Amino acid sequence: MDSAELVTPASAPRSVSRQLSEEPDEGTRKLRALVVEDEPADVERALRALRAAGLGAVCDVAQTAEEFTRLVRQNAYDVILADYKVPNWYGMETVEILRREGLDVPVIMVSGALGELTAVECIKQGAADYVPKHHLARLPESVRRAMREKKLRNDHRQSLKELARSNRDLEQFAYVASHDLQEPLRMVATYTQLLAERYQGKLDADADKYIHYAVDGALRMQKLVQDLLAFSRVGRQGLTLENADINVVLDRALKNLEAAIQGSGAVVDHAQLPLVIADGSLLVQVFQNLIGNALKFRGSEPPLIRVNADLKGKEWVFSVADNGIGIAAEHAESVFAIFRRLHTRAEYPGNGIGLSICKKIIEQHGGRIWVESELGHGSIFQFTLPIKPTPKQ
Amino acid sequence: MKTTPEILMVDDNPADIDLTSEVLAQSEQHFHVNAVNDGAEAISFLRHQGKYTHAPVPDLVVLDLNLPRKDGCEVLQHIKADRALAKVPVVIFTTSQASSDIARSYRLGANCYLRKPGNLPEFVAAVQSMAEFWLGYASLPQKERR
């Protein structure tokens, strides 16, 4: 006998017991349980305890790992009631099997006295609760609580899934919108410029001013749309992981910044940098943005920029330190948000896209990025790269 | 006497045709711009079919990629597969920056790939230098007599 319907009326509809993600409506449907137990009388006693508390239950019985695995694959159960030890098997192994099968069904150990240490160990390994056989009156509440917790876990998982989906939609939207906006914007920009060129000084002073505003707005919007497109393009193709020599990566970033470095009289020095498994061309962007910022937000002294790398545990920690104007503590997080700027365009040009691209690239590598700074006392941007990257999509 | 170079511009965006014509009209050299709005029209023009019986043979084709009916690549393929037309230089003039579009265009025999710049000064510079190079400095093959 591998399956026994011990208390089910013959008419109990099977399909009803499949709606298992929610706490059963006690009036209309029975709880579906899988019992790991070799003693029919004990199964009957457990079911009676549940029934007495208004939890009518249908149950299957499993006595071996094979039976158990087959049944959980076939049926969706609300709860597993497992004896600690059946003749050829341990009830605790159900937790491991469920995990392997990717199933979230609460396991309640219903057993003779286990002793405190064993009971605690069961719960540590993932059992929802332990109810001694001589305290079966506690079983209904234990089952109810386990199911409430499961519902919470489900809701949480569902929310995370929806959040991930809405993030993906949003990125797709940003990409499509910024891509398709470029063409009409090009029309607005070039033709307002043509208007300005042809009619400058031929209308009146107001007209000249209005046209100037229109041109300026169109060009700025064009830059924003290009930046948004650049942001949403990061990682759309996934990462191309390779053995990236960060010395080479940094050299390429510095080469791209050559004019700005010479213009500001900056000194950039770096320690011997490691080889990491990463997308090298994306990391060039990261270093270029960070060092570019250090050059842009310089203090009164010529910029001094130092790039470093430290191995800490399972990750590399890179740092780009400067002697620039620094960032007030309350902005330390928000500087990484897209289009976030702390200064007017007249003070410092730019759209506030660079750090958000850095953050996206680093997070795609499974790393973190942050800044330590004090207003007027330079900044240290730091980011981590795991030694063994598990890229996020 | 030097004849006025004939340009065939294939573009579905009238604003780009106007702007390009404007820029060319400002230059010292004279050009004649013939404009059609889709790929099928372009092929009729090149083959002197229908209303294009008396159309001139172009010295230069300026071709957008994203076109209704027959897209730019199809037109390009058609031109380069036709013995008489194949020697007419084709400049791809488009907003696409996709490396796949660039590679495909050259593979199909495009003579030059030029991106439409997003602002007026650059647009003017691009069109002027294109005309100057292809219809000024470059030596072009003798046109077939019709």
Side-chain angles (χ1 to χ4, degrees), chain B residues 39-59:
Chain B
E41 287 275 298
I43 287 170
S44 302
F45 185 100
L46 291 164
R47 282 189 173 163
H48 313 290
Q49 287 168 342
K51 62 178 171 178
Y52 299 112
T53 324
H54 300 291
V57 177
D59 297 278

Side-chain angles (χ1 to χ4, degrees), chain A residues 109-259:
Chain A
M109 303 304 297
V110 181
S111 191
L114 277 187
E116 234 167 73
L117 283 182
T118 315
V120 167
E121 192 51 36
C122 287
I123 297 207
K124 262 195 194 159
Q125 284 179 31
D129 200 1
Y130 157 59
V131 176
K133 278 183 178 170
H134 54 274
H135 279 306
L136 281 179
R138 276 190 46 212
L139 186 59
E141 186 39 42
S142 170
V143 168
R144 285 200 177 100
R145 196 183 57 221
M147 291 182 45
R148 270 198 306 276
E149 284 166 0
K150 181 185 164 176
K151 183 170 184 324
L152 285 179
R153 281 197 300 276
N154 268 343
D155 292 351
H156 183 62
R157 255 197 305 270
Q158 194 60 30
S159 310
L160 284 181
K161 229 158 79 187
E162 271 162 28
L163 193 66
R165 188 184 50 76
S166 100
N167 272 342
R168 268 198 311 277
D169 287 355
L170 207 60
E171 293 221 344
Q172 180 64 14
F173 172 78
Y175 178 76
V176 171
S178 50
H179 187 265
D180 290 3
L181 281 173
Q182 290 205 103
E183 184 60 18
L185 248 177
R186 191 171 62 81
M187 295 296 98
V188 178
T190 48
Y191 273 92
T192 48
Q193 282 178 311
L194 189 60
L195 259 181
E197 202 170 87
R198 290 282 164 82
Y199 298 98
Q200 187 84 44
K202 291 186 183 164
L203 304 167
D204 60 20
D206 276 349
D208 285 353
K209 193 168 70 182
Y210 301 160
I211 293 173
H212 168 76
Y213 289 154
V215 170
D216 190 52
L219 292 181
R220 218 167 54 220
M221 183 156 168
Q222 224 169 17
K223 188 79 184 76
L224 281 171
V225 165
Q226 278 162 11
D227 284 349
L228 188 58
L229 191 60
F231 178 79
S232 53
R233 264 195 189 129
V234 171
R236 260 179 86 78
Q237 320 291 335
L239 299 178
T240 311
L241 293 179
E242 54 185 355
N243 272 318
D245 181 346
I246 301 301
N247 297 288
V248 175
V249 165
L250 182 65
D251 277 350
R252 275 170 59 198
L254 293 177
K255 189 116 189 101
N256 295 341
L257 292 166
E258 211 169 359

Side-chain angles (χ1 to χ4, degrees), chain B residues 58-73:
Chain B
D59 297 278
L60 180 70
V61 177
V62 176
L63 180 62
D64 191 10
L65 283 186
N66 196 359
L67 294 169
R69 299 215 279 165
K70 263 190 173 47
D71 75 18
C73 280

